[in-house]
Amino acid sequence: RRRRASSYARPQWRVPVSLLLQGVASSGPLLMPRGYAQPSLSRFPIDGSALDRLDKWLSRPAFRLRLGHFPELVFSVPACCFGYPLAAAPLALWLALLAGGSPSPTAWALAAAATAAVLGLHLRLLLTHDAAAPAATAARAARSVYSVPAILLTPPAAVAAAHVLGLPGRGAAHAYLTLWYASIAPVLMAKRLARRRRPIASADVPPKALPAIRAILEHDANASFPSGDAAGAMSFAYPALRCAGLPA
């Protein structure tokens, strides 16, 4: 017990150099302190405070819904789009395609292939979960969608592809990725300060039909606030509205 408390008080980060470069939505298992397993009390809002009770009262009906496997798969797709760093690449390509001009069939095929690859990886993580070894699912997520190469290489690769293909809307992709990277630092810093416990890690929230979701998120259980998914969605929505002319 003493050793665990000591390691938690002075966490050793697994990826210290890239702390500010880890993706938007879920901080991911790569950002956990070594040995950290159980969620701790939230710092903001403090557990039991008026703001905490209001938040739980408002969100309890949604979090206690039992949707079943297929609806949970469907609702997990937005989190895949705006929570995975790896998904920034196909999103950037789609913005470049939709921002104007007459893209070639090769550009459309590349965007479709990148989207299918990310969604396929997402579904594989959720559907190949072993309930007897939940840590293995989180480890696969750490090696794939939350890995440092996924964060540092795939989004710039999408912009490079837009340049090579001569897409006239590549400025929208630039704007999206600039906002995407710029949102990472404040989101992660605030997460570390607030240490808001995820609802899925609370005892009064029933288990999900897809246990892989809980297995992944519980490995960074105190990273609920502020929302990285919301930051990623806004990073996409602004250039989509201003550059690509898509409906808000």
mmCIF file of all heavy atoms in Angstrom, residues 65 67-81 122 126 208 210 213 229:
data_model
loop_
_atom_site.group_PDB
_atom_site.id
_atom_site.type_symbol
_atom_site.label_atom_id
_atom_site.label_comp_id
_atom_site.label_asym_id
_atom_site.label_seq_id
_atom_site.Cartn_x
_atom_site.Cartn_y
_atom_site.Cartn_z
ATOM 1 N N LEU A 65 -28.531 4.680 -19.423
ATOM 2 C CA LEU A 65 -29.216 4.016 -20.528
ATOM 3 C C LEU A 65 -28.546 2.694 -20.861
ATOM 4 O O LEU A 65 -27.318 2.581 -20.867
ATOM 5 C CB LEU A 65 -29.221 4.906 -21.767
ATOM 6 C CG LEU A 65 -30.183 6.088 -21.791
ATOM 7 C CD1 LEU A 65 -29.956 6.903 -23.049
ATOM 8 C CD2 LEU A 65 -31.626 5.624 -21.711
ATOM 9 N N LEU A 67 -28.283 0.539 -23.982
ATOM 10 C CA LEU A 67 -28.600 0.640 -25.401
ATOM 11 C C LEU A 67 -28.463 -0.667 -26.161
ATOM 12 O O LEU A 67 -29.091 -0.854 -27.187
ATOM 13 C CB LEU A 67 -27.694 1.703 -26.047
ATOM 14 C CG LEU A 67 -27.829 3.123 -25.505
ATOM 15 C CD1 LEU A 67 -26.792 4.029 -26.154
ATOM 16 C CD2 LEU A 67 -29.228 3.660 -25.741
ATOM 17 N N GLY A 68 -27.595 -1.545 -25.706
ATOM 18 C CA GLY A 68 -27.331 -2.749 -26.477
ATOM 19 C C GLY A 68 -26.112 -2.591 -27.372
ATOM 20 O O GLY A 68 -25.575 -1.491 -27.532
ATOM 21 N N HIS A 69 -25.685 -3.686 -27.982
ATOM 22 C CA HIS A 69 -24.434 -3.688 -28.730
ATOM 23 C C HIS A 69 -24.455 -2.755 -29.937
ATOM 24 O O HIS A 69 -23.556 -1.931 -30.101
ATOM 25 C CB HIS A 69 -24.102 -5.119 -29.194
ATOM 26 C CG HIS A 69 -23.588 -5.995 -28.114
ATOM 27 N ND1 HIS A 69 -24.414 -6.573 -27.184
ATOM 28 C CD2 HIS A 69 -22.324 -6.369 -27.807
ATOM 29 C CE1 HIS A 69 -23.683 -7.287 -26.336
ATOM 30 N NE2 HIS A 69 -22.422 -7.180 -26.691
ATOM 31 N N PHE A 70 -25.457 -2.891 -30.795
ATOM 32 C CA PHE A 70 -25.423 -2.125 -32.042
ATOM 33 C C PHE A 70 -25.541 -0.624 -31.808
ATOM 34 O O PHE A 70 -24.753 0.154 -32.376
ATOM 35 C CB PHE A 70 -26.517 -2.612 -32.991
ATOM 36 C CG PHE A 70 -26.507 -1.902 -34.325
ATOM 37 C CD1 PHE A 70 -25.512 -2.169 -35.254
ATOM 38 C CD2 PHE A 70 -27.475 -0.953 -34.620
ATOM 39 C CE1 PHE A 70 -25.484 -1.505 -36.479
ATOM 40 C CE2 PHE A 70 -27.461 -0.289 -35.833
ATOM 41 C CZ PHE A 70 -26.471 -0.565 -36.769
ATOM 42 N N PRO A 71 -26.502 -0.132 -30.988
ATOM 43 C CA PRO A 71 -26.537 1.322 -30.748
ATOM 44 C C PRO A 71 -25.252 1.853 -30.118
ATOM 45 O O PRO A 71 -24.817 2.961 -30.442
ATOM 46 C CB PRO A 71 -27.742 1.495 -29.810
ATOM 47 C CG PRO A 71 -28.600 0.312 -30.079
ATOM 48 C CD PRO A 71 -27.656 -0.805 -30.359
ATOM 49 N N GLU A 72 -24.645 1.074 -29.226
ATOM 50 C CA GLU A 72 -23.389 1.537 -28.637
ATOM 51 C C GLU A 72 -22.286 1.628 -29.685
ATOM 52 O O GLU A 72 -21.453 2.533 -29.643
ATOM 53 C CB GLU A 72 -22.967 0.621 -27.491
ATOM 54 C CG GLU A 72 -23.733 0.878 -26.209
ATOM 55 C CD GLU A 72 -23.110 0.189 -25.012
ATOM 56 O OE1 GLU A 72 -21.983 -0.344 -25.149
ATOM 57 O OE2 GLU A 72 -23.752 0.172 -23.957
ATOM 58 N N LEU A 73 -22.271 0.697 -30.627
ATOM 59 C CA LEU A 73 -21.304 0.786 -31.724
ATOM 60 C C LEU A 73 -21.528 2.059 -32.537
ATOM 61 O O LEU A 73 -20.579 2.761 -32.896
ATOM 62 C CB LEU A 73 -21.416 -0.441 -32.626
ATOM 63 C CG LEU A 73 -20.672 -1.703 -32.214
ATOM 64 C CD1 LEU A 73 -20.997 -2.831 -33.179
ATOM 65 C CD2 LEU A 73 -19.174 -1.459 -32.175
ATOM 66 N N VAL A 74 -22.793 2.361 -32.825
ATOM 67 C CA VAL A 74 -23.115 3.541 -33.625
ATOM 68 C C VAL A 74 -22.699 4.815 -32.895
ATOM 69 O O VAL A 74 -22.057 5.708 -33.471
ATOM 70 C CB VAL A 74 -24.621 3.568 -33.951
ATOM 71 C CG1 VAL A 74 -25.001 4.896 -34.612
ATOM 72 C CG2 VAL A 74 -24.987 2.398 -34.860
ATOM 73 N N PHE A 75 -23.031 4.910 -31.608
ATOM 74 C CA PHE A 75 -22.721 6.118 -30.852
ATOM 75 C C PHE A 75 -21.231 6.244 -30.534
ATOM 76 O O PHE A 75 -20.770 7.329 -30.149
ATOM 77 C CB PHE A 75 -23.532 6.162 -29.558
ATOM 78 C CG PHE A 75 -24.955 6.586 -29.756
ATOM 79 C CD1 PHE A 75 -25.993 5.682 -29.642
ATOM 80 C CD2 PHE A 75 -25.258 7.898 -30.084
ATOM 81 C CE1 PHE A 75 -27.312 6.072 -29.832
ATOM 82 C CE2 PHE A 75 -26.573 8.301 -30.292
ATOM 83 C CZ PHE A 75 -27.612 7.386 -30.163
ATOM 84 N N SER A 76 -20.491 5.159 -30.683
ATOM 85 C CA SER A 76 -19.051 5.246 -30.441
ATOM 86 C C SER A 76 -18.302 5.855 -31.618
ATOM 87 O O SER A 76 -17.138 6.253 -31.476
ATOM 88 C CB SER A 76 -18.479 3.855 -30.154
ATOM 89 O OG SER A 76 -18.434 3.050 -31.328
ATOM 90 N N VAL A 77 -18.947 5.956 -32.787
ATOM 91 C CA VAL A 77 -18.258 6.471 -33.974
ATOM 92 C C VAL A 77 -17.857 7.936 -33.828
ATOM 93 O O VAL A 77 -16.736 8.311 -34.201
ATOM 94 C CB VAL A 77 -19.116 6.240 -35.233
ATOM 95 C CG1 VAL A 77 -18.514 6.955 -36.437
ATOM 96 C CG2 VAL A 77 -19.217 4.739 -35.523
ATOM 97 N N PRO A 78 -18.718 8.837 -33.302
ATOM 98 C CA PRO A 78 -18.238 10.218 -33.101
ATOM 99 C C PRO A 78 -17.011 10.302 -32.206
ATOM 100 O O PRO A 78 -16.115 11.119 -32.446
ATOM 101 C CB PRO A 78 -19.449 10.920 -32.475
ATOM 102 C CG PRO A 78 -20.623 10.127 -32.937
ATOM 103 C CD PRO A 78 -20.150 8.717 -32.998
ATOM 104 N N ALA A 79 -16.969 9.463 -31.163
ATOM 105 C CA ALA A 79 -15.774 9.444 -30.310
ATOM 106 C C ALA A 79 -14.568 8.962 -31.090
ATOM 107 O O ALA A 79 -13.443 9.439 -30.891
ATOM 108 C CB ALA A 79 -16.006 8.546 -29.095
ATOM 109 N N CYS A 80 -14.793 8.018 -31.994
ATOM 110 C CA CYS A 80 -13.704 7.551 -32.861
ATOM 111 C C CYS A 80 -13.217 8.692 -33.736
ATOM 112 O O CYS A 80 -12.015 8.898 -33.904
ATOM 113 C CB CYS A 80 -14.196 6.383 -33.714
ATOM 114 S SG CYS A 80 -13.125 5.952 -35.109
ATOM 115 N N CYS A 81 -14.157 9.483 -34.283
ATOM 116 C CA CYS A 81 -13.776 10.554 -35.205
ATOM 117 C C CYS A 81 -13.019 11.670 -34.504
ATOM 118 O O CYS A 81 -12.008 12.158 -35.009
ATOM 119 C CB CYS A 81 -15.023 11.124 -35.876
ATOM 120 S SG CYS A 81 -15.813 9.996 -37.039
ATOM 121 N N HIS A 122 -11.062 0.854 -35.078
ATOM 122 C CA HIS A 122 -11.948 1.154 -33.960
ATOM 123 C C HIS A 122 -12.859 -0.034 -33.651
ATOM 124 O O HIS A 122 -12.983 -0.460 -32.486
ATOM 125 C CB HIS A 122 -12.777 2.386 -34.300
ATOM 126 C CG HIS A 122 -13.851 2.701 -33.323
ATOM 127 N ND1 HIS A 122 -13.602 3.095 -32.033
ATOM 128 C CD2 HIS A 122 -15.217 2.661 -33.439
ATOM 129 C CE1 HIS A 122 -14.739 3.305 -31.389
ATOM 130 N NE2 HIS A 122 -15.724 3.046 -32.226
ATOM 131 N N LEU A 126 -13.113 -2.698 -30.274
ATOM 132 C CA LEU A 126 -14.317 -2.909 -29.482
ATOM 133 C C LEU A 126 -14.831 -4.340 -29.534
ATOM 134 O O LEU A 126 -15.388 -4.829 -28.553
ATOM 135 C CB LEU A 126 -15.425 -1.959 -29.969
ATOM 136 C CG LEU A 126 -15.174 -0.462 -29.803
ATOM 137 C CD1 LEU A 126 -16.432 0.320 -30.146
ATOM 138 C CD2 LEU A 126 -14.699 -0.120 -28.394
ATOM 139 N N LYS A 208 -21.415 -1.301 -19.629
ATOM 140 C CA LYS A 208 -21.783 -1.134 -21.024
ATOM 141 C C LYS A 208 -21.960 -2.479 -21.703
ATOM 142 O O LYS A 208 -21.387 -3.493 -21.284
ATOM 143 C CB LYS A 208 -20.710 -0.332 -21.755
ATOM 144 C CG LYS A 208 -20.538 1.092 -21.257
ATOM 145 C CD LYS A 208 -21.729 1.929 -21.636
ATOM 146 C CE LYS A 208 -21.537 3.380 -21.253
ATOM 147 N NZ LYS A 208 -22.714 4.203 -21.575
ATOM 148 N N LEU A 210 -20.747 -3.026 -24.514
ATOM 149 C CA LEU A 210 -19.419 -3.239 -25.090
ATOM 150 C C LEU A 210 -18.382 -2.991 -23.992
ATOM 151 O O LEU A 210 -17.998 -1.844 -23.742
ATOM 152 C CB LEU A 210 -19.183 -2.298 -26.264
ATOM 153 C CG LEU A 210 -20.086 -2.506 -27.477
ATOM 154 C CD1 LEU A 210 -19.900 -1.381 -28.481
ATOM 155 C CD2 LEU A 210 -19.834 -3.852 -28.128
ATOM 156 N N ILE A 213 -15.137 -0.519 -24.148
ATOM 157 C CA ILE A 213 -15.170 0.925 -23.910
ATOM 158 C C ILE A 213 -14.727 1.230 -22.494
ATOM 159 O O ILE A 213 -13.904 2.108 -22.242
ATOM 160 C CB ILE A 213 -16.579 1.473 -24.180
ATOM 161 C CG1 ILE A 213 -16.950 1.282 -25.650
ATOM 162 C CG2 ILE A 213 -16.672 2.942 -23.784
ATOM 163 C CD1 ILE A 213 -18.358 1.709 -25.989
ATOM 164 N N ASP A 229 -13.031 15.195 -26.759
ATOM 165 C CA ASP A 229 -13.880 14.976 -27.924
ATOM 166 C C ASP A 229 -14.514 16.288 -28.378
ATOM 167 O O ASP A 229 -14.604 16.564 -29.578
ATOM 168 C CB ASP A 229 -14.984 13.968 -27.587
ATOM 169 C CG ASP A 229 -14.457 12.570 -27.394
ATOM 170 O OD1 ASP A 229 -13.235 12.383 -27.532
ATOM 171 O OD2 ASP A 229 -15.259 11.665 -27.105
#
